[in-house]
Amino acid sequence: MEQFKTMEDLRDAIKRLSKWFARPIVEGEHPTLHLNPNSTNREVINGIQRDDYIFSACGNWIVPSAEHGLSFSAHWQHLKGIHRMKSKRNPGKRVHVYWVLEKADIPDGLEFIADPRDRRKQHYFLAVTKKMTVSELRSKLEWVADRMSVIRDAQDAL
């Protein structure tokens, strides 16, 4: 097992592993679901923010889209900027970084897809690739969250 003396050593080791995806999350919040009614001012259905995914007209289904999904950073600079924004919007609260490697066993029907509007390919969506019910998506997002690693109070690490 290798021990890292600096954050640069750790960053270099992670770069050698594979591509990674990370999300800064305010302490007390869930890494993939909106369970706290105060966590967003947008409509939430079964823990899923309505504008993160494309819902069917009846609201029971999630429709596949390469332009929608849960937001993830895939580059240190992008992650640092999002972390800074979350910290400013939540003064006095710690912000943790949850992350997963690209090679992780992501559930069928979900895939990390580069945001087509981001030329630098630093922002990714955990997108739905197959039509599924809202409850199926929730279960899959919980499954992903259970397998994510966390860097607690990540400000110093970034």
Side-chain angles (χ1 to χ4, degrees), residues 103-120:
K103 304 268 187 242
D105 189 20
I106 301 300
D108 186 45
L110 295 180
E111 183 180 339
F112 285 107
I113 298 176
D115 180 350
R117 295 172 298 245
D118 180 16
R119 292 176 316 198
R120 294 177 288 180

Side-chain angles (χ1 to χ4, degrees), residues 23 25 95-99 147-154:
R23 296 175 51 78
I25 303 294
V95 178
H96 308 305
V97 171
Y98 286 80
W99 62 279
R147 283 147 183 85
M148 294 176 85
S149 298
V150 63
I151 301 170
R152 300 229 175 261
D153 201 11

Side-chain angles (χ1 to χ4, degrees), residues 8-158:
E8 277 305 312
D9 293 344
L10 178 58
R11 285 182 188 148
D12 290 341
I14 290 172
K15 284 179 190 174
R16 288 190 309 266
L17 287 174
S18 73
K19 190 174 206 79
W20 52 268
F21 303 98
R23 296 175 51 78
I25 303 294
V26 176
E27 187 168 53
E29 300 292 330
H30 193 274
T32 58
L33 297 171
H34 294 276
L35 302 177
N36 179 348
N38 300 327
S39 69
T40 182
N41 58 357
R42 299 188 172 124
E43 185 180 0
V44 174
I45 299 170
N46 202 8
I48 301 165
Q49 189 168 266
R50 192 162 181 79
D51 35 345
D52 283 347
Y53 292 95
I54 301 289
F55 284 74
S56 64
C58 69
N60 295 325
W61 293 89
I62 304 293
V63 180
S65 172
E67 296 182 4
H68 295 84
L70 211 53
S71 290
F72 281 81
S73 297
H75 189 274
W76 285 106
Q77 286 306 113
H78 188 269
L79 178 60
K80 202 171 177 177
I82 301 299
H83 185 278
R84 199 174 309 127
M85 178 188 69
K86 288 246 183 185
S87 295
K88 284 181 182 177
R89 289 185 179 173
N90 298 278
K93 293 187 179 179
R94 298 182 336 159
V95 178
H96 308 305
V97 171
Y98 286 80
W99 62 279
V100 64
L101 293 175
E102 180 181 40
K103 304 268 187 242
D105 189 20
I106 301 300
D108 186 45
L110 295 180
E111 183 180 339
F112 285 107
I113 298 176
D115 180 350
R117 295 172 298 245
D118 180 16
R119 292 176 316 198
R120 294 177 288 180
K121 304 296 181 215
Q122 295 180 355
H123 179 245
Y124 278 69
F125 293 120
L126 181 55
V128 169
T129 59
K130 295 179 182 175
K131 186 177 177 179
M132 65 182 73
T133 64
V134 172
S135 60
E136 282 178 289
L137 176 57
R138 180 187 170 113
S139 294
K140 290 178 183 200
L141 292 175
E142 288 173 334
W143 192 94
V144 170
D146 287 345
R147 283 147 183 85
M148 294 176 85
S149 298
V150 63
I151 301 170
R152 300 229 175 261
D153 201 11
Q155 184 170 344
D156 293 336
L158 296 175

